[in-house]
Amino acid sequence: MDMKRKSFSSSQGPAKKVFKKSSQDDDDFERSNFEEELALMDELEEEFHAQSLESLESTGEDIDSSQSANAKWARPPPAEINPGTDSIVFQQLDIDYYLGQAVSGMSGCTTGLVPIMRVFGVSMEGNSILCHVHGFLPYFFVPAPQNFQQSDCAKFREILNGALISDMKSNKENIRDPVLAVEIVQKENIYGYNIDGKKPYLKITVLLPKFLPAAGRLLENGIRWNGSDMQTFPVFETNINFEIKFMVDTKIVGCNWIEVPPRKYNLLTASGQRNPTSRCQIELEVDWKNLISHEPEGDWSKIAPVRILSFDIECAGRKGIFPEPNHDPVIQIANMVILLSYQSEQQMLKEWADFIRAVDPDIVTGYNIQNFDFPYLLNRAAHLKV
């Protein structure tokens, strides 16, 4: 196939062509170099695509084989891990939390429903990792009442605990102690001009993040404690995101490296006491006090081989009607990886789901995929019972 073309760097430049503007206008105009370059780029792209297909055919590779394509993009298998001698080091990419049962041996509550942090990341070897972090609990602060003593903490906790239970509209979890602890700490108010330095505050620890705004509202409206008159309290840090507070207290910053030392974690395996809950290659649980967060400097400023998948879908909509997953089929899912063709929409959706599982992307990006593409694919698959 002839790939030779005239060079645009020639001193004479490409031959110029003359076109008529229209039948109403007989003035000639010269086609610009920019238009010539665009036309050449289109031709080169077509030839490159044709050569790529010829190359695949000459090697006997099946371009429609989704299994071989998925195998190409699968992550490398993780090395064998010995929790007694091996650290687990990964670059964290996302943090959230869920409510689960307390695990014996972790700090915080030992039984019942507790918040558990999930830290997702990837190792330098390219393995996907999910770390369940136990023991971190939500808390907030209020100024300590005048003449408040350490011996008053238990009474204050009891009164606030009762008020919070009475304030619940429902208690399906049968929670009896939403307020876990009250302790005196020395803190300084950063609002306004302050020369008084640190003063006694009450650090109030609650069981679940949802109790933060409720407890704060009750204290702002006022409670009676120790037989006194109604007393109101300004509250601090009830409006801070639970994940953000976790990151601050553990000194974790965006996408930094985290290390879990040997003998400080439990691996979650199919043959273990607790099974994995995700499709990540390595899944573990650890106490939040045993996390080591590295500052992104020196060797810890490196970037792991993060996988980024960009995709977009196309639907065969009805004229004048925005596509609806119960009526309009998905005709294309573009991933910028390889072209695969299928005989039915059901097969395409199933194979794409297998492809996503095989690729296991760390980051998924695309235009409006959260509000359209993802929900459309899920609803369409549900409609077709895929």
Side-chain angles (χ1 to χ4, degrees), residues 102-331:
V103 174
S104 177
M106 302 293 180
S107 60
C109 298
T110 56
T111 59
L113 198 66
V114 294
I116 303 172
M117 310 303 300
R118 293 193 304 181
V119 183
F120 294 88
V122 60
S123 68
M124 187 56 78
E125 293 74 26
N127 299 127
S128 56
I129 294 176
L130 169 55
C131 183
H132 302 264
V133 184
H134 294 260
F136 187 78
L137 295 170
Y139 61 88
F140 66 102
F141 301 95
V142 298
Q146 190 174 6
N147 300 322
F148 193 90
Q149 303 296 323
Q150 188 67 38
S151 57
D152 296 323
C153 289
K155 184 66 175 179
F156 193 94
R157 189 207 73 82
E158 180 182 348
I159 293 174
L160 180 59
N161 191 74
L164 199 53
I165 292 176
S166 300
D167 186 67
M168 293 183 189
K169 295 181 179 180
S170 65
N171 190 6
K172 297 179 181 179
E173 300 89 356
N174 194 27
I175 296 174
R176 297 182 178 181
D177 291 308
V179 181
L180 298 178
V182 175
E183 57 184 310
I184 301 177
V185 295
Q186 297 296 318
K187 295 291 179 179
E188 184 175 355
N189 190 349
I190 64 173
Y191 289 106
Y193 179 69
N194 184 11
I195 61 173
D196 297 331
K198 293 185 177 181
K199 293 182 177 181
Y201 279 75
L202 301 183
K203 179 182 179 181
I204 302 173
T205 303
V206 296
L207 179 62
L208 303 177
K210 70 176 183 178
F211 293 138
L212 287 172
R217 173 174 48 80
L218 290 172
L219 289 170
E220 285 180 325
N221 292 337
I223 63 171
R224 287 186 175 89
W225 78 277
N226 204 22
S228 65
D229 295 333
M230 185 73 71
Q231 185 172 355
T232 60
F233 296 84
V235 298
F236 298 86
E237 299 189 12
T238 57
N239 60 342
I240 296 180
N241 184 281
F242 185 51
E243 293 90 339
I244 295 297
K245 186 170 289 189
F246 167 77
M247 294 177 68
V248 171
D249 287 4
T250 54
K251 295 181 172 57
I252 292 176
V253 297
C255 293
N256 74 319
W257 287 85
I258 293 177
E259 181 177 357
V260 185
R263 301 183 300 278
K264 299 296 184 181
Y265 62 89
N266 302 319
L267 283 178
L268 302 185
T269 61
S271 58
Q273 294 181 349
R274 283 179 293 280
N275 295 332
T277 61
S278 73
R279 299 189 62 87
C280 291
Q281 293 176 297
I282 301 172
E283 197 164 337
L284 65 149
E285 57 186 12
V286 63
D287 193 294
W288 77 280
K289 297 178 181 178
N290 293 326
L291 284 180
I292 300 175
S293 176
H294 294 284
E295 294 184 6
E297 298 178 356
D299 289 340
W300 297 112
S301 62
K302 295 180 180 179
I303 300 177
V306 176
R307 293 181 163 220
I308 301 176
L309 172 68
S310 176
F311 82 97
D312 184 54
I313 71 172
E314 298 297 337
C315 306
R318 293 155 290 165
K319 185 176 181 180
I321 301 177
F322 193 78
E324 298 175 348
N326 292 340
H327 299 283
D328 304 303
V330 177
I331 60 174

Side-chain angles (χ1 to χ4, degrees), residues 42-79:
D42 289 339
E43 293 178 17
L44 291 176
E45 184 177 357
E46 291 177 1
E47 292 183 1
F48 176 77
H49 182 65
Q51 281 189 333
S52 299
L53 293 178
E54 289 178 1
S55 175
L56 288 173
E57 293 171 357
S58 64
T59 58
E61 187 174 356
D62 183 4
I63 61 174
D64 291 333
S65 173
S66 58
Q67 291 184 349
S68 62
N70 289 348
K72 288 181 179 180
W73 299 103
R75 288 183 184 271

